[in-house]
């Protein structure tokens, strides 16, 4: 375990497998895409990436507005916590939806091909969840050419 920043600047080396499940949905996509790009760039040639994302939210507009209000105005969240018998200052759980074509494009650009995507429903159909699994191509012409992917 290495505590790092969004650029994963303290993570060294290449890995045969990078896996994330039930994590990125709690990170805003703008920040999450940067983390995903950095994680993928650290997969060794011939290695694998296995990533899970939310891609759809069918929650009503009213419920979405209430959730946003909980983030913006903490006393609303305190009342909810009391109602649900949770610690009063427990922060609201964030759920973010990601753009799957954008992730697919990022994976392709970084040398991942034969990308498999499994789509599932979660939370009684309120959310669409995806699991993406892919292998990073082994460059044929130069062992160091994988570094070119990282900076493209």
């Amino acid at each position: 375990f290495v505590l790092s920043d969004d650029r994963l600047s303290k993570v060294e080396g290449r890995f045969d497998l990078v896996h994330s499940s039930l994590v990125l949905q709690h990170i805003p996509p703008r920040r999450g895409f940067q983390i995903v790009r950095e994680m993928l760039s650290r997969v060794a040639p011939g290695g694998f990436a296995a990533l899970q994302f939310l891609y759809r939210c069918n929650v009503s507009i009213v419920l979405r507005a209430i959730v946003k209000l909980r983030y913006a105005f903490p006393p609303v969240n305190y009342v909810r916590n009391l109602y649900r018998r949770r610690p009063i200052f427990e922060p609201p759980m964030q759920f973010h939806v990601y753009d799957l074509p954008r992730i697919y494009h990022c994976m392709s650009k970084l040398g991942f091909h034969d990308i498999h995507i499994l789509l599932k429903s979660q939370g009684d159909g309120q959310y669409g969840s995806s699991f993406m699994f892919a292998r990073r191509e082994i460059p044929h012409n130069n062992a160091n050419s994988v570094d070119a992917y990282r900076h493209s």
Side-chain angles (χ1 to χ4, degrees), residues 12-23:
E12 297 179 10
R14 302 242 184 235
F15 302 92
D16 293 327
L17 174 67
V18 171
H19 178 258
S20 174
S21 181
L22 301 173
V23 173

Side-chain angles (χ1 to χ4, degrees), residues 14-16 42-48 135-139 143 146:
R14 302 242 184 235
F15 302 92
D16 293 327
R42 284 164 174 74
V43 175
F48 296 89
R135 184 171 188 229
R136 193 169 198 182
E137 190 175 88
I138 299 172
V146 78

